[in-house]
């Protein structure tokens, strides 16, 4: 029997995860150290003290701080809904990828996937305000919007998340997007399309040829055959591959509508309960790890 997602299909296209977050705020707060940001706030507060009576100068920060503390205290004592749990799926789930028609197999990891990691950073003291970095950001956003609008059965694009390398250094941290695709061929087809070609031409002309060495980019591509990937999510909101979505085209001759599906499947029992099962290992490999009280 085919694996059954726990979420109902939707007629509207779910927005990919990286477009629902803070966006440019990620680049901004990772461009400067915590000390720099605190000092920036202190300077603003000092300016208010100089131009306003003291009670008015201190009021904005005091009110905002008090409201935020009160808001979190109310959530801690369950006096208001916990906003951080609003998108969390309670329980243990695994994310499965349907075929190109949006149909799920009866076996886990029965489709190949390709993971593409694209990183960027500004090695300039001005961070994201360095010359040229904003222009690169514009090309990145343009490509994101284009991918979001394309038919995924054609583009092979499944979804994307945004991450930061928080252990890297005090400022100018690396920002990376991790996207999921049907195949490397889909990535190469998009890379040779108009928008990416324009962005790459700009990078070669305005960054490399002009010797601008403080803008750094990198990518890693992993093509994973079916049966060689697995995942588990416990009390998490959909993230990483778990935030991907697929288009299931309906039979127009019978009036069936297109719907968007997500491959979140209950993993509390059966083959999906164990990593070995989600990898569809053979009996010998599977039984080697079964019997442990720890289900992973």
């Amino acid at each position: 029997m085919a694996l059954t997602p726990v979420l109902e299909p939707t007629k509207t296209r779910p927005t990919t995860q990286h477009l629902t977050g803070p966006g440019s705020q990620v680049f901004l707060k990772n461009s400067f150290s915590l000390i720099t940001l605190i000092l920036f706030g202190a300077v603003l507060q000092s300016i208010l003290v100089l131009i306003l009576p003291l009670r008015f100068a201190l009021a904005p920060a005091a009110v905002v701080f008090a409201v935020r503390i009160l808001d979190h205290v109310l959530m801690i004592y369950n006096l208001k809904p916990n906003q951080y749990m609003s998108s969390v799926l309670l329980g243990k789930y695994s994310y499965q990828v349907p075929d190109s028609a949006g149909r799920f197999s009866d076996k886990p990891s029965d489709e190949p996937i390709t993971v593409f990691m694209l990183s960027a950073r500004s090695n300039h003291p001005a961070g994201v305000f360095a010359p040229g970095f904003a222009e690169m950001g514009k090309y990145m956003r343009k490509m994101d919007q284009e991918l979001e609008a394309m038919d995924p059965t054609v583009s092979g694009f499944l979804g994307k998340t945004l991450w930061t390398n928080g252990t890297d250094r005090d400022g100018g941290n690396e920002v990376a997007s991790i996207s999921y695709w049907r195949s490397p061929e889909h990535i190469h087809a998009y890379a040779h399309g108009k928008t990416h070609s324009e962005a790459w031409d700009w990078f070669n002309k305005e960054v490399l040829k002009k010797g601008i060495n403080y803008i750094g980019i990198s990518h890693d591509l992993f093509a994973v055959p079916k049966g060689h990937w697995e995942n588990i999510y416990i009390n998490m909101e959909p993230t990483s591959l778990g935030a991907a979505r697929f288009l299931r085209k309906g039979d127009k001759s019978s009036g069936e509508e297109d719907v968007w599906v997500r491959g979140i499947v209950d993993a509390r029992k059966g083959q999906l309960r164990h990593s070995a099962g989600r990898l569809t290992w053979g009996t010998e490999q599977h039984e080697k790890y079964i019997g442990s009280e720890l289900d992973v």
Side-chain angles (χ1 to χ4, degrees):
M1 186 174 66
L3 298 170
T4 305
V6 298
L7 299 180
E8 292 293 327
T10 61
K11 295 181 180 179
T12 56
R13 180 176 191 159
T15 303
T16 191
Q17 187 183 37
H18 80 292
L19 291 178
T20 63
S24 58
Q25 294 180 31
V26 174
F27 285 91
L28 185 61
K29 71 180 182 181
N30 278 279
S31 293
F32 306 101
S33 68
L34 179 61
I35 294 299
T36 300
L37 294 175
I38 292 175
L39 291 174
F40 180 72
V43 169
L44 290 180
Q45 183 65 70
S46 299
I47 292 173
L48 288 178
V49 170
L50 289 173
I51 63 178
L52 294 174
L54 185 61
R55 63 178 182 274
F56 294 119
L58 297 178
V63 170
V64 172
F65 182 73
V67 169
R68 291 182 67 87
I69 291 295
L70 177 62
D71 185 60
H72 282 68
V73 168
L74 292 175
M75 287 190 288
I76 290 171
Y77 290 98
N78 297 318
L79 297 176
K80 67 167 289 186
N82 181 354
Q83 68 186 44
Y84 303 107
M85 293 289 290
S86 61
S87 301
V88 171
L89 294 176
L90 298 178
K92 180 178 179 180
Y93 302 94
S94 181
Y95 202 91
Q96 299 301 312
V97 176
D99 61 21
S100 58
R103 311 294 175 180
F104 289 90
S105 170
D106 59 349
K107 295 187 299 183
S109 65
D110 204 31
E111 289 288 323
I113 61 171
T114 297
V115 183
F116 187 68
M117 300 175 62
L118 179 64
S119 302
R121 77 181 317 158
S122 172
N123 296 302
H124 193 281
V128 295
F129 299 106
F133 202 81
E135 186 71 17
M136 186 176 73
K138 292 178 182 178
Y139 280 110
M140 298 292 285
R141 287 191 295 273
K142 185 177 180 180
M143 288 188 287
D144 287 341
Q145 293 166 357
E146 182 180 60
L147 280 170
E148 192 68 11
M150 293 176 70
D151 183 342
T153 62
V154 177
S155 69
F157 174 69
L158 304 178
K160 185 177 181 180
T161 56
L162 191 64
W163 303 89
T164 59
N165 188 348
T167 61
D168 198 6
R169 57 190 186 187
D170 287 340
N173 289 337
E174 174 187 6
V175 178
S177 67
I178 304 178
S179 57
Y180 301 89
W181 301 72
R182 287 283 181 188
S183 70
E185 289 77 16
H186 284 105
I187 296 177
H188 279 263
Y190 180 76
H192 287 84
K194 180 181 178 182
T195 303
H196 183 270
S197 295
E198 289 176 353
W200 191 239
D201 288 343
W202 170 84
F203 190 84
N204 280 309
K205 180 181 178 181
E206 300 297 328
V207 178
L208 297 182
K209 289 185 178 180
K210 290 186 178 181
I212 299 178
N213 57 9
Y214 54 78
I215 295 180
I217 60 172
S218 69
H219 86 244
D220 299 85
L221 188 153
F222 306 92
V224 189
K226 67 177 184 178
H228 287 74
W229 59 269
E230 64 96 2
N231 56 70
I232 198 70
Y233 302 91
I234 301 175
N235 299 335
M236 290 284 290
E237 64 179 64
T239 186
S240 302
L241 181 60
R245 64 279 190 276
F246 312 94
L247 176 62
R248 180 190 296 165
K249 292 194 172 183
D251 183 358
K252 300 301 187 293
S253 63
S254 61
E256 186 180 8
E257 294 184 290
D258 295 346
V259 293
W260 293 88
V261 296
R262 289 190 165 183
I264 302 173
V265 180
D266 189 349
R268 292 174 296 177
K269 56 186 178 181
Q271 190 175 8
L272 295 177
R273 179 181 173 185
H274 302 277
S275 176
R278 295 189 295 273
L279 286 167
T280 62
W281 279 356
T283 303
E284 182 178 346
Q285 288 176 298
H286 190 88
E287 291 182 349
K288 180 179 179 181
Y289 297 100
I290 299 303
S292 168
E293 293 182 1
L294 177 63
D295 295 331
V296 294

